[in-house]
Amino acid sequence: MPEFQQIVKSDKIRIGVIGSGALGLYYGALLQRAGHDLHFLLRRDHQAITTAGLTVTSPRGDFRLAAVHGYKTSREIGPVDLVLVGLKTYANPLLVDLVRPLVGPETVLLTLQNGLGNEELLAAAFGSERVVGGVAFLCCNRGEPGTVHHLDQGSVRLAEFCNGLSPRVERLAKLFNQAEIPCEACPDLQRIRWEKLVWNIPFNGLCALTGLATDRQLGCTETLKLIKGMMQEVVAAANRQQLSQPIDGAAFIDHLIGITLKMGAYRPSMMIDRQQNQPLELEAIYAIPLQRATEVAAPMPQVAMLHALLQVTEANALDPPPGQ
Amino acid sequence: MPEFQQIVKSDKIRIGVIGSGALGLYYGALLQRAGHDLHFLLRRDHQAITTAGLTVTSPRGDFRLAAVHGYKTSREIGPVDLVLVGLKTYANPLLVDLVRPLVGPETVLLTLQNGLGNEELLAAAFGSERVVGGVAFLCCNRGEPGTVHHLDQGSVRLAEFCNGLSPRVERLAKLFNQAEIPCEACPDLQRIRWEKLVWNIPFNGLCALTGLATDRQLGCTETLKLIKGMMQEVVAAANRQQLSQPIDGAAFIDHLIGITLKMGAYRPSMMIDRQQNQPLELEAIYAIPLQRATEVAAPMPQVAMLHALLQVTEANALDPPPGQ
């Protein structure tokens, strides 16, 4: 039985990033700047980053990494201490094969992906004892190849998939904080995942469906009411998931509305995906949460309707009829 | 007290058309071709129609009216036997002023507009005894100025606003049938209006919101379920409106799904309005029916959510933010 002590013992660890989108590039860049040994699986940005480095623009100060290890296949990376997974969940059918070459006896797998079902996928393939889950609160977009734009926020909450807190998850949180990623180790993965869904479910879907950013959704009386209604549905379903502590719905919803108001015309990741004709993360953010809610007899009818509308438009966006 | 006998006694009547969109032009053209004395209030098509006439293309045979009486103001038309109202309901704040110059002692007002609230508006201004309501099942679009394209269907159901059947409404139905407009006089205006809403509420809104025609909505399992769910909500609300006879929900819904499947890639009027950056008929098709449903304790939650989504996108379509 491996001990997974490498992360706890080492000051500098070897990290592989699978899914080098905005999130993977941004956190990877901060970890490399802090001295860790980073290895990025790259697709779109491979040439730009391996030849000219990685640039991060941020209100906290721009910086550039001149030398970045970028790869076209996971096999070239080989085993690491930590796999940081930032893959879009619609690519999850590829995830296990992408991660496998990075997994050695002591490798820990951290998924910062959206929604539900990601830890389960990694646990089934590599063993649940390896898996740590994380929730990122990050406003970040990709720019031209080789550049990532950090816009706002950026904190991360981590928890063990199996046991909540642990020395290694607290150590990971410390490494992240040392790399200027505000990070908290938490005792209940389900709770932090569902808390994030309370925001993601209404805003990602409404903004993707309508093509309107968060400020327009909050500025319309009817959609503000709808957002709060969906948030209540998600909180009710969350509070039946045997959380360590229930979510205080009214206070939490007020808090989320408040921070979203401050974000201005924010485009959630799903809205950007739709605008770029990418698939949407419907399985992780809608289908699996709806399934989990149904299993505990806490149906989410407004969420289900939003999911249906995203599905019909998704079918069209990815497979447009002739002449459209 | 007027007798409103003009329509009953005359073979040829004087008809004013207020709202000469696709519906007003098409039915007006058929009535003129049958020998009636038609007078159209025109806006977009005024010059084309008054100089070159009105052309109708139709699977039942194209035809052209060389000489058409077109006007820029209602005052030029003056009193008529029958006012045929085809105005888009979002222009209803103008309706009473547009109709007034056409109203003489014996004038009957027939509104073929969508949704609820139109007869009430005319009744409040001109007396309920004048008002007849009608529901049109018509697939018809405007083409270039002076041309209207009849695509499919075209039947009309008429009923008195106050008393259901009457000699004059049966006479009107006969005149319409003689003009090759399939028409039935019905005893219950509320019933025919709500029956039409069972179709209009799901399809108009879903197609306008998503930009996808009826075939795509029916072809997606999730939206088909949503359509049926909304239809059930509308039937339940309708059946609390003191109808002469309740709507048989299951059979009627199957019937509507069946005829819609046969319509192929049909674009409902609200979808066309959205694509042409016109306002949507949200008040008549959503807000007033939702209000009537609430009054009889038959809430329509899925309809309300669709209405909210149409409202937030409508605010944007008509008042786009800078830079979009």
Side-chain angles (χ1 to χ4, degrees), chain B residues 4 57 63 126 201 215 227 275 279 284 298:
Chain B
F4 302 107
T57 72
F63 65 95
F126 304 111
I201 282 178
D215 60 331
I227 287 162
Q275 289 177 331

Side-chain angles (χ1 to χ4, degrees), chain A residues 155-168:
Chain A
S155 67
V156 173
R157 300 167 80 187
L158 300 179
E160 288 284 344
F161 176 55
C162 293
N163 304 311
L165 287 173
S166 70
R168 86 173 163 192

Side-chain angles (χ1 to χ4, degrees), chain A residues 206 209-212 216-217 220 222-223 226 230 271 302 305-306 308-309 311-313 315-316 319-321 324, chain B residues 206 209-212 216-217 220 222-223 226 230 271 302 305-306 308-309 311-313 315-316 319-321 324:
Chain A
L206 287 175
L209 179 69
T210 63
L212 301 172
R216 306 289 292 197
Q217 309 294 342
C220 171
E222 291 74 17
T223 37
L226 177 57
M230 283 195 275
M271 177 177 171
Q302 292 178 111
M305 179 161 162
L306 180 57
L309 293 168
Q311 283 173 289
V312 68
T313 49
N316 190 62
D319 175 26
Q324 283 211 353
Chain B
L206 287 175
L209 180 69
T210 63
L212 301 172
R216 306 290 292 199
Q217 309 295 341
C220 171
E222 291 74 18
T223 38
L226 177 58
M230 282 196 275
M271 177 177 172
Q302 293 179 109
M305 179 160 160
L306 180 57
L309 293 168
Q311 284 174 289
V312 67
T313 48
N316 190 60
D319 176 24
Q324 288 212 347

Side-chain angles (χ1 to χ4, degrees), chain B residues 182-264:
Chain B
C183 187
E184 184 188 3
C186 296
D188 185 349
L189 180 63
Q190 285 308 305
R191 192 171 198 272
I192 63 176
R193 283 253 169 251
W194 278 92
E195 281 189 351
K196 180 76 184 292
L197 287 171
V198 180
W199 193 94
N200 267 345
I201 282 178
F203 284 107
N204 267 284
L206 287 175
C207 295
L209 180 69
T210 63
L212 301 172
T214 53
D215 60 331
R216 306 290 292 199
Q217 309 295 341
L218 293 173
C220 171
T221 313
E222 291 74 18
T223 38
L224 176 58
K225 188 177 154 200
L226 177 58
I227 287 162
K228 289 181 177 175
M230 282 196 275
M231 286 181 163
Q232 285 161 357
E233 290 181 356
V234 181
V235 168
N239 283 340
R240 294 207 175 188
Q241 305 290 327
Q242 301 190 294
L243 305 186
S244 54
Q245 193 185 340
I247 299 170
D248 177 353
F252 188 58
I253 290 170
D254 283 349
H255 164 72
L256 291 182
I257 299 291
I259 60 171
T260 311
L261 280 168
K262 288 192 195 127
M263 286 157 62

Side-chain angles (χ1 to χ4, degrees), chain B residues 27 46 53 79 100 107 175 179 197 204 220 233 236:
Chain B
Y27 287 131
H46 182 268
R100 182 170 285 119
T107 304
L175 291 183
L197 287 171
N204 267 284
C220 171
E233 290 181 356

